[in-house]
């Protein structure tokens, strides 16, 4: 039985209310490898999830002097389908080892001999086979989502291929739950600030690549674990709780249906499936011509400040997951009554940025502020009245000028322009030339700051990089409330 299945089978149910109960995340804060097995250590980084090291337990004790890095091999395997027990897995590649040493059971170096050996891996945004997730099984409830390792050292007769557990200290701080409404189930994670007193709630919506039923994926793949970090929490007097729902498919799945009864998807202007690696079924232009309504070309030139009349919402613009997500949020607020209802903040990246705008529009007067990044809500899908609705709360948009997946010009850049034309004075738009590491942690071969995928604007958000009038994004966010709106 895989580690992930063992964790699921042993998880205890904790009923909060309704149909919510706890589930296993598949990860732990610490784990001791069993005999002839390994423990994998992972964490979230700017570019996604990365395997950091493995700790082995061998029958024979070894000293660091006996352990030669070049004698070790760390092969990465992935199952053919959603089970890790298949007899014929596909080998994907080899993880690059940086250091090998004798250690204790937690991977701390020891001076003498030990039955535990730690292999540390190279950590870099360019390192191949570093991401430990099996992307083929992200929607499989019972599947082990992690690659399997085979660690060998022929001179010492070491061969270890069974996993005792996966450690991720940052993500293990979160609780993992699921909520069912009718026949629809959504999994989510949350983190509670340990400080007493009233505090806000930060909601984060992941992008299209992080959907499925493994709730640690959105936490690590967009580095959303940083929302619980001291660097961000310091701006909130009593800290801020964090809630991260996971969509089973994509937030872009709408409530509208085609003539065959299939739910339409909010259209995007590029091949997101090619760029991000997940299939997206955009609405065909012909369908939009038949069903489209109320699509605006911009604010009136005659009177830009006049409040527009409410018009029909365009077809394929309202997320199918709106209602269940709102119920999860309401349930959380009801369960933890210390949450300040005047300070509910919402943000997200890409398809999650779309969901951010969608939740604001479908729940007017509920959210205190928003911070979408590279948001995928097509501006052509927003009526003038909806643009006016967006001006009613403070919003900080972040995007990259060279984003080839979601173009700023057809999304937030145009939306922000229209918001300002309708009198929006609390909208901030930070448009970067590209997406680079501004922390100094990663460099390219030419010595310049490493350039990430042009769509990864959330890197700036999670590093709290955007600045406006001397304030960082999260410093600004902490000051927003419905009482000021």
């Amino acid at each position: 039985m895989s580690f992930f299945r063992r964790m699921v089978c042993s998880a205890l149910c904790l009923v909060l209310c309704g149909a919510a109960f706890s589930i296993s995340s598949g990860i732990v804060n610490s784990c001791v490898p069993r005999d002839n097995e390994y423990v994998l250590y992972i964490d979230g980084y700017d570019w996604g999830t990365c395997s950091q090291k493995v700790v082995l337990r061998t029958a024979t004790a070894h000293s660091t002097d006996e352990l030669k890095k070049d004698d070790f091999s760390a092969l990465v395997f992935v199952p053919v389908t959603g089970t890790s027990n298949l007899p014929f897995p596909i080998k994907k590649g080899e993880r690059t080892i940086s250091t090998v040493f004798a250690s204790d059971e937690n991977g701390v170096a020891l001076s003498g001999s030990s039955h535990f050996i730690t292999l540390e891996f190279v950590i870099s945004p360019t390192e191949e086979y570093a991401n430990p997730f099996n992307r083929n099984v992200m929607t499989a409830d019972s599947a082990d989502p992690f690659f399997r390792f085979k660690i060998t050292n022929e001179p010492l007769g070491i061969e270890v291929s069974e996993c005792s557990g996966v450690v991720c200290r940052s993500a293990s701080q979160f609780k993992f739950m699921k909520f069912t409404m009718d026949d629809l189930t959504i999994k989510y994670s949350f983190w509670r600030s340990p400080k007493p007193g009233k505090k806000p709630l930060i909601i984060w919506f992941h992008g299209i690549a992080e959907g499925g039923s493994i709730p640690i994926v959105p936490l690590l793949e967009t580095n959303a674990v940083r929302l619980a970090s001291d660097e961000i929490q310091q701006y909130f007097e009593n800290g801020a709780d964090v809630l991260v729902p996971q969509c089973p498919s994509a937030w872009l799945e709408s409530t509208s249906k085609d003539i065959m009864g299939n739910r339409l998807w909010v259209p995007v202007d590029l091949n997101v499936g090619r760029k991000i690696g997940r299939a997206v079924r955009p609405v065909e232009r012909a369908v939009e011509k038949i069903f489209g309504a109320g699509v605006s070309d911009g604010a009136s030139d005659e009177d830009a400040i006049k409040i527009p009349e409410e018009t029909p919402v365009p077809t394929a613009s309202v997320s199918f997951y709106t209602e269940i997500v709102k119920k999860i949020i309401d349930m959380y607020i009801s369960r933890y009554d210390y949450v300040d209802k005047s300070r509910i903040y919402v943000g997200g990246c890409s398809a999650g940025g779309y969901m951010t705008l969608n939740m604001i529009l479908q729940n007017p007067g509920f959210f205190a502020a928003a911070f979408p990044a590279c948001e995928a809500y097509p501006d052509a899908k927003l009526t003038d009245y909806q643009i006016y609705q967006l001006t009613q709360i403070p919003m900080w948009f972040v995007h990259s000028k060279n984003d080839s997946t979601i173009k700023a010009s057809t999304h937030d850049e145009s939306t922000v322009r229209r918001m300002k034309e309708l009198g929006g004075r609390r909208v901030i738009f930070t448009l970067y030339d590209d997406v680079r590491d501004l922390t100094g942690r990663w460099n390219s071969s030419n010595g310049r700051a490493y350039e990430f995928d042009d769509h990864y604007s959330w890197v700036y958000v999670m590093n709290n990089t955007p600045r406006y009038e001397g304030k960082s994004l999260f410093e600004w966010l902490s000051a927003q409330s419905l009482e000021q709106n």
Side-chain angles (χ1 to χ4, degrees):
M1 181 180 288
S2 71
F3 166 73
F4 188 74
R5 285 176 178 162
R6 288 197 299 267
M7 292 292 290
V8 171
C9 291
S10 62
L12 297 177
C13 292
L14 174 63
V15 176
L16 287 182
C17 66
F21 55 91
S22 67
I23 63 170
S24 166
S25 67
I27 58 171
V28 291
N29 183 60
S30 63
C31 184
V32 178
R34 293 183 289 269
D35 291 342
N36 205 40
E37 293 189 6
Y38 69 87
V39 169
L40 173 65
Y41 286 73
I42 66 174
D43 207 350
Y45 291 84
D46 289 334
W47 63 90
T49 316
C50 188
S51 51
Q52 300 169 310
K53 65 183 181 181
V54 292
V55 179
L56 321 175
R57 185 171 189 168
T58 58
T60 304
H62 299 279
S63 66
T64 298
D65 292 340
E66 299 175 69
L67 306 175
K68 309 300 181 185
K69 182 181 70 172
D70 293 341
D71 291 338
F72 281 89
S73 172
L75 293 176
V76 176
F77 291 79
V78 60
V80 177
T81 61
T83 173
S84 60
N85 296 324
L86 290 178
F88 303 110
I90 300 174
K91 187 181 79 170
K92 299 295 289 186
E94 189 164 354
R95 192 71 172 89
T96 306
I97 301 170
S98 61
T99 312
V100 179
F101 51 87
S103 69
D104 66 10
E105 65 272 20
N106 296 312
V108 179
L110 297 177
S111 57
S113 296
S114 175
H115 287 275
F116 299 100
I117 301 173
T118 295
L119 282 67
E120 293 184 336
F121 300 132
V122 171
I123 296 175
S124 164
T126 61
E127 179 66 15
E128 198 171 10
Y129 307 117
N131 193 312
F133 283 122
N134 177 4
R135 304 301 294 179
N136 297 322
V137 299
M138 289 298 98
T139 59
D141 248 344
S142 60
D144 189 334
F146 301 106
F147 283 177
R148 311 298 291 185
F149 283 81
K150 182 179 181 181
I151 313 297
T152 58
N153 182 318
E154 290 187 7
L156 297 179
I158 295 173
E159 182 175 313
V160 178
S161 59
E162 290 295 322
C163 182
S164 295
V166 179
V167 173
C168 182
R169 295 196 172 102
S170 62
S172 66
Q173 302 176 78
F174 285 72
K175 302 294 184 182
F176 297 87
M177 313 288 290
K178 68 179 178 181
F179 182 87
T180 298
M181 183 183 74
D182 299 327
D183 59 348
L184 178 61
T185 296
I186 278 189
K187 296 184 179 180
Y188 63 97
S189 58
F190 68 92
W191 178 85
R192 296 175 60 202
S193 167
K195 296 181 180 180
K198 281 283 190 182
K199 65 200 69 176
L201 174 63
I202 301 174
I203 300 158
W204 177 255
F205 293 116
H206 61 77
I208 199 169
E210 292 78 48
S213 61
I214 313 294
I216 52 173
V217 172
L219 282 181
L220 298 181
E221 290 291 84
T222 62
N223 209 11
V225 288
R226 284 191 55 80
L227 294 172
S229 69
D230 292 340
E231 291 84 354
I232 289 177
Q233 288 289 317
Q234 66 174 316
Y235 296 105
F236 304 91
E237 182 180 3
N238 298 322
D241 282 16
V242 179
L243 177 64
V244 183
Q246 185 183 31
C247 183
S249 59
W251 305 118
L252 298 169
E253 188 175 353
S254 79
T255 55
S256 301
K257 295 181 179 181
D258 62 19
I259 57 176
M260 302 299 294
N262 301 311
R263 280 193 293 270
L264 300 174
W265 284 46
V266 179
V268 292
D269 61 344
L270 284 175
N271 186 353
V272 178
R274 173 184 61 81
K275 188 71 176 179
I276 303 181
R278 292 183 62 88
V280 175
R281 180 166 52 86
V283 181
E284 297 293 338
R285 292 182 183 274
V287 174
E288 187 58 31
K289 288 181 180 179
I290 296 173
F291 293 98
V295 179
S296 169
D297 291 326
S300 168
D301 292 331
E302 297 180 358
D303 188 1
I305 307 303
K306 182 180 178 180
I307 299 176
E309 294 184 2
E310 189 168 358
T311 54
V313 174
T315 298
S317 63
V318 180
S319 177
F320 171 70
Y321 298 98
T322 302
E323 184 179 358
I324 190 171
V325 167
K326 181 58 164 56
K327 286 187 180 296
I328 290 172
I329 297 171
D330 290 342
M331 178 193 69
Y332 189 92
I333 295 171
S334 175
R335 174 65 177 83
Y336 301 110
D337 58 5
Y338 58 76
V339 173
D340 187 346
K341 295 180 182 178
S342 70
R343 299 173 71 198
I344 309 298
Y345 308 132
V346 59
C349 59
S350 193
Y354 153 79
M355 190 61 172
T356 298
L357 270 63
N358 171 78
M359 292 300 292
I360 294 169
L361 294 172
Q362 302 308 313
N363 301 280
F366 182 80
F367 298 101
F371 56 107
C374 54
E375 59 92 356
Y377 205 125
D379 183 64
K381 281 288 178 181
L382 291 165
T383 68
D384 285 345
Y385 183 76
Q386 288 178 317
I387 291 290
Y388 170 75
Q389 285 181 297
L390 293 178
T391 66
Q392 300 308 294
I393 72 169
M395 297 185 67
W396 191 325
F397 294 82
V398 179
H399 213 139
S400 169
K401 189 182 298 183
N402 71 336
D403 190 335
S404 57
T405 301
I406 300 295
K407 293 182 179 179
S409 60
T410 54
H411 292 77
D412 46 16
E413 188 172 23
S414 180
T415 297
V416 168
R417 173 184 57 78
R418 293 172 62 196
M419 289 175 68
K420 290 183 176 180
E421 289 174 352
L422 286 178
R425 297 292 179 265
R426 294 175 298 173
V427 56
I428 303 170
F429 184 38
T430 302
L431 183 64
Y432 292 92
D433 290 333
D434 48 29
V435 185
R436 291 187 180 272
D437 169 46
L438 300 182
T439 67
R441 289 192 292 263
W442 318 108
N443 288 323
S444 301
S445 56
N446 60 9
R448 296 186 63 199
Y450 180 80
E451 185 173 355
F452 296 102
D453 185 293
D454 56 32
H455 185 51
Y456 286 18
S457 301
W458 58 84
V459 170
Y460 292 124
V461 172
M462 293 307 170
N463 282 288
N464 198 28
T465 303
R467 294 289 189 277
Y468 181 76
E469 294 184 346
K471 291 186 177 181
S472 69
L473 189 156
F474 285 99
E475 183 180 7
W476 165 86
L477 189 70
S478 67
Q480 310 306 316
S481 72
L482 286 177
E483 297 171 355
Q484 298 173 336
N485 291 353

